[in-house]
Amino acid sequence: MKWLSLLTNEWIKIFSRTRTWIFLAIPIVIIIGIAVYDKVTTDVEVNENWKQELTQTVKDDQKALDEAKKNNDNEIYIDMLESNIKQNEYAIANDISPYETTAWQFMKDMAWISIFIGLFVIVVASDIVSNEFAKGTIKMLLIRPYSRWKILLSKFVATLGFAFLMWLVVILVTWLVGGLAYGFGGMDQSYLITAEDGQVKERLIVEYVFANIGVEFIELTALVAMSFMISTLFMSNSVAIGVALFTMFAGNTIVALLATKDWVIYTLFANMDLSVLIDGQNQMIKDLTLPFSISVLAVYTVIMLAITFTVFQKRDVKA
Amino acid sequence: MTTHTLELKNLTKKIKGKTIVDDLSFSVREGEIFGLLGPNGAGKTTTIRMIVGLISITDGDVLINGDNLRGNFEKAMERVGAIVENPQLYDYMTGYKNLMQYARIMPDVTKERIDEVIDLVDLKNAIHDKVKTYSLGMRQRLGVAQALLHKPNVLILDEPTNGLDPQGIYDLRNYLRLLANNGTSVVVSSHMLAEMQMMCDRVAIIQHGKLMRIDEILNQDDEADVKVHFKIEGDVSQAKQVLLNLNEDLNVTESGQELIVQTADVRFIAEMNKQLVLAGVLVVGIQRKTKTLEERFLEMTKKGGDLNEVAVPVNE
């Protein structure tokens, strides 16, 4: 009948909560805060003498590398040092300053802010079904002339919309703040990566930023589907949020512990962080690539949604 | 011909092999207030939740305005309004925004209709306050408002008087009667006997998920359950003999200084009184008493005897 009205209702419910506005404000405040702090404290001298600075860093790294090799340190650590040295040498030789900040460089540096979005999206997605069960308002909703799947779909689309909106707002604010602080130029600015064959390559920062924006949409979709499933399975919102947060944060630890196992690449959490794959392979698990991880996430998302809709359709509401 | 707005046909609910509602069938007429009465755990709430689609139906059918709930949920629910237990509302929104939530998704609810309903439940002054500031009575009224927004012709209320003060109960009763007179079928569930007796046209007594009987409340005077109590001063056995002389098959029992005769016929009561007086028996009082719904209910559910009887006037 009027499915869009259901969606409007969910949207209104999300934005009627004070916490939603706080969730939106927190990343914005952090972005502005970091830009201001950076402007106030950055030493202009260092920027102009970056080549000397970098040469010194290369020397220090070389020393650390020799030390590490002597002590038979962790392989990942040695790889990292070697890659750093190569990148810095390349930077000096080709005159690419790593300290030159532009709006795009700022966006690349601030990419980690998406962890907040993940966090807040978990809270909203975990809450949107379970809270209505906990408060009993779900009864008032399910007695309307709408099939259950339509009601659940409206909630899913509303949460996804909220997640995407939040991400877009944060991107826009980062770009704006970065541009105002460091200038809007730098479309042609590049950064350095170490390819699989050990060669240092140049890559456009803009490319990275847009790739990161893209993969975050995919990550958010999988994250919403996961929280949504937990929210529907556990009808209490505190349990739902707790379980969702635990799985998210413990996920990385579990993956690290299981990194040696072959099947770890098929788990949800090994594939949850797509941004590390933009520049190539995952350092910890070398088999992961971007297309592979996106495929795994897609399969998980479909399965989790299928479980959610099946359970919701059949559930007896006794609250 | 009476039109039935809500029909239950062999409705059954089993949870984990246990039968909660057992082969329940009844029909609710247009414009009547129909009560579901039963002790706690009898299956009233389960029945109501099946009618509004909150709980799946194991077996049987629910027809609302002729549409089968199992096959055509969306069509069947279009003209249903309901409050299941307490009306639960969004605390973080105003009363008006709560109503808008439901107005938006129901067919043909105009802005005028929303204002009309707000007036009706007398919430005009508080409608733009957040619901978390509302008293229980106000929440209850807002719950009624949301149930009526789309002018339902089947209104279902589960334990509607829970948490209402006497004034609130009185208002609700009058209001439901008004709706019923305008053709709305109202289904209420309760374990409060006296309340059901005052509120309903018919009451279905349910126990262990089974329908025990359906009572017409307004016609109770015509039933065989009516008894006449003659209060006698003097020899009760002699008075009893006088009545037996009048009719040998008469069902007369002695109870202290009273003779109890089972009859509903007003003329016959007058005749008995005449005979008693002629025989010199001093009749100091005559009372016609009927079994209360409560008594019938307790009888049905085998929990008590005939203690409470209610006096009804002799002359009508």
Side-chain angles (χ1 to χ4, degrees):
Chain A
M1 204 161 44
K2 296 192 288 179
W3 182 79
L4 278 178
S5 325
L6 282 176
L7 186 61
T8 313
N9 274 352
E10 293 306 325
W11 200 248
I12 289 172
K13 279 186 243 174
I14 291 175
F15 282 97
S16 299
R17 310 288 290 268
T18 319
R19 64 155 195 227
T20 305
W21 298 97
I22 297 172
F23 288 169
L24 274 170
I26 287 174
I28 294 173
V29 168
I30 291 175
I31 292 162
I32 295 172
I34 286 180
V36 170
Y37 177 82
D38 188 55
K39 281 305 259 190
V40 171
T41 56
T42 301
D43 192 349
V44 185
E45 287 297 302
V46 176
N47 277 354
E48 280 166 6
N49 302 321
W50 65 269
K51 279 190 183 172
Q52 289 168 11
E53 183 89 352
L54 220 52
T55 315
Q56 188 57 44
T57 311
V58 170
K59 276 181 195 158
D60 293 346
D61 282 352
Q62 193 66 53
K63 243 183 256 169
L65 181 63
D66 294 341
E67 194 82 359
K69 277 182 176 167
K70 222 184 285 170
N71 298 339
N72 262 336
D73 274 353
N74 191 319
E75 209 175 299
I76 294 175
Y77 177 59
I78 292 173
D79 279 357
M80 196 188 78
L81 284 173
E82 279 177 342
S83 153
N84 275 356
I85 292 165
K86 274 187 193 160
Q87 283 188 13
N88 287 337
E89 280 171 345
Y90 187 97
I92 295 164
N94 292 278
D95 207 22
I96 301 166
S97 167
Y99 297 112
E100 193 193 336
T101 310
T102 62
W104 297 101
Q105 177 70 48
F106 185 66
M107 285 176 88
K108 183 174 183 292
D109 292 344
M110 291 301 291
W112 58 269
I113 202 92
S114 65
I115 192 149
F116 280 100
I117 296 168
L119 196 71
F120 299 151
V121 163
I122 282 183
V123 174
V124 172
S126 301
D127 201 64
I128 198 161
V129 179
S130 58
N131 188 45
E132 298 229 22
F133 273 100
K135 295 272 158 65
T137 46
I138 194 76
K139 288 186 296 192
M140 309 287 261
L141 201 50
L142 295 182
I143 58 172
R144 308 293 153 180
Y146 294 89
S147 301
R148 287 196 180 185
W149 67 266
K150 287 185 187 170
I151 290 169
L152 194 62
L153 187 66
S154 72
K155 287 181 173 294
F156 179 72
V157 173
T159 317
L160 210 55
F162 169 72
F164 287 0
L165 178 85
M166 205 164 154
W167 180 223
L168 287 174
V169 167
V170 165
I171 290 165
L172 208 67
V173 169
T174 319
W175 178 74
L176 212 62
V177 170
L180 291 173
Y182 309 103
F184 286 98
M187 288 288 283
D188 55 349
Q189 200 187 356
S190 44
Y191 69 107
L192 302 173
I193 54 170
T194 311
E196 280 166 58
D197 55 9
Q199 293 296 308
V200 174
K201 282 181 185 164
E202 277 183 50
R203 201 175 173 191
L204 282 178
I205 289 178
V206 178
E207 252 177 56
Y208 178 92
V209 169
F210 277 101
N212 188 47
I213 292 172
V215 295
E216 183 66 17
F217 280 124
I218 299 169
E219 279 179 37
L220 283 174
T221 308
L223 199 62
V224 169
M226 185 194 77
S227 315
F228 209 63
M229 179 181 73
I230 296 171
S231 176
T232 307
L233 295 182
F234 300 91
M235 286 176 289
S236 126
N237 46 337
S238 48
V239 174
I241 292 173
V243 171
L245 286 181
F246 176 80
T247 30
M248 191 197 184
F249 288 111
N252 279 332
T253 319
I254 294 166
V255 169
L257 287 173
L258 298 174
T260 52
K261 302 273 194 292
D262 287 341
W263 47 262
V264 75
I265 57 168
Y266 299 107
T267 62
L268 178 60
F269 298 102
N271 296 286
M272 264 316 228
D273 191 2
L274 296 176
S275 57
V276 300
L277 300 172
I278 293 173
D279 288 337
Q281 56 183 210
N282 186 316
Q283 289 302 316
M284 207 156 66
I285 305 156
K286 306 249 176 195
D287 284 339
L288 293 177
T289 61
L290 201 52
F292 175 82
S293 284
I294 291 174
S295 313
V296 172
L297 282 188
V299 171
Y300 269 104
T301 303
V302 169
I303 293 173
M304 290 188 295
L305 285 178
I307 294 173
T308 311
F309 276 84
T310 312
V311 168
F312 190 75
Q313 194 73 28
K314 290 186 177 161
R315 166 152 288 154
D316 280 352
V317 181
K318 294 169 194 155
Chain B
M1 203 191 102
T2 21
T3 320
H4 290 124
T5 47
L6 171 69
E7 288 171 83
L8 270 60
K9 290 179 175 170
N10 311 101
L11 195 64
T12 301
K13 176 69 181 179
K14 286 180 186 162
I15 298 174
K16 288 175 188 152
K18 197 168 169 258
T19 307
I20 312 289
V21 174
D22 193 358
D23 204 27
L24 198 61
S25 300
F26 60 78
S27 299
V28 180
R29 297 168 195 148
E30 191 171 43
E32 79 169 338
I33 303 182
F34 188 90
L36 281 180
L37 181 61
N40 289 330
K44 304 182 300 279
T45 296
T46 308
T47 305
I48 281 190
R49 283 176 185 233
M50 277 194 280
I51 296 173
V52 296
L54 289 175
I55 290 184
S56 64
I57 295 168
T58 309
D59 212 358
D61 288 298
V62 174
L63 301 183
I64 304 173
N65 296 316
D67 290 305
N68 195 324
L69 196 71
R70 295 180 85 172
N72 200 352
F73 181 79
E74 297 191 354
K75 187 85 184 67
M77 290 303 287
E78 236 171 62
R79 298 197 64 200
V80 175
I83 305 177
V84 182
E85 286 176 345
N86 296 320
Q88 270 117 351
L89 306 148
Y90 301 106
D91 281 350
Y92 51 87
M93 289 198 262
T94 64
Y96 195 82
K97 283 190 171 166
N98 266 280
L99 286 184
M100 277 308 295
Q101 283 276 319
Y102 305 113
R104 221 173 268 124
I105 56 174
M106 300 306 287
D108 311 321
V109 182
T110 59
K111 208 190 159 298
E112 290 71 35
R113 175 63 185 165
I114 299 173
D115 293 337
E116 193 182 312
V117 171
I118 293 168
D119 269 347
L120 198 84
V121 296
D122 199 18
L123 274 176
K124 212 171 186 176
N125 293 326
I127 200 67
H128 293 293
D129 295 343
K130 289 214 165 143
V131 169
K132 63 180 156 213
T133 66
Y134 281 23
S135 69
L136 191 56
M138 290 162 83
R139 281 163 192 263
Q140 202 71 275
R141 268 143 56 202
L142 190 61
V144 172
Q146 65 78 27
L148 295 174
L149 267 183
H150 53 295
K151 299 184 181 166
N153 75 344
V154 176
L155 184 63
I156 295 166
L157 308 168
D158 187 16
E159 308 274 355
T161 54
N162 267 4
L164 284 187
D165 56 16
Q167 178 68 41
I169 295 175
Y170 178 81
D171 290 345
L172 180 72
R173 201 160 58 222
N174 287 342
Y175 188 62
L176 292 183
R177 179 54 61 197
L178 189 73
L179 284 175
N181 289 345
N182 288 328
T184 307
S185 306
V186 182
V187 178
V188 291
S189 84
S190 180
H191 59 272
M192 314 266 279
L193 303 146
E195 196 178 89
M196 293 296 257
Q197 194 162 22
M198 285 192 282
M199 198 182 275
C200 302
D201 298 319
R202 285 196 301 156
V203 171
I205 298 178
I206 294 175
Q207 198 196 11
H208 301 316
K210 283 198 177 85
L211 180 67
M212 306 306 281
R213 64 182 277 179
I214 297 181
D215 276 338
E216 302 262 349
I217 299 290
L218 290 181
N219 297 336
Q220 59 180 255
D221 293 355
D222 298 337
E223 288 181 24
D225 288 343
V226 179
K227 290 173 184 169
V228 183
H229 294 232
F230 290 95
K231 194 160 190 188
I232 309 292
E233 229 173 72
D235 192 347
V236 181
S237 326
Q238 185 209 333
K240 184 181 177 183
Q241 200 50 52
V242 174
L243 293 185
L244 286 175
N245 288 345
L246 190 67
N247 182 350
E248 276 180 32
D249 300 328
L250 208 59
N251 185 354
V252 188
T253 46
E254 287 178 47
S255 168
Q257 280 303 111
E258 286 188 357
L259 279 181
I260 302 165
V261 186
Q262 191 159 350
T263 178
D265 187 343
V266 182
R267 276 165 209 277
F268 186 63
I269 296 169
E271 179 62 27
M272 286 191 290
N273 185 35
K274 187 177 159 195
Q275 292 304 325
L276 286 170
V277 173
L278 285 177
V281 177
L282 205 53
V283 179
V284 292
I286 305 176
Q287 259 191 332
R288 214 164 61 128
K289 290 184 175 180
T290 182
K291 272 191 184 173
T292 60
L293 186 62
E294 180 173 37
E295 202 187 345
R296 262 178 254 158
F297 170 75
L298 292 176
E299 230 170 58
M300 296 309 303
T301 58
K302 294 177 185 68
K303 277 183 181 169
D306 12 301
L307 290 167
N308 301 313
E309 296 191 336
V310 166
V312 289
V314 175
N315 299 311
E316 280 174 276

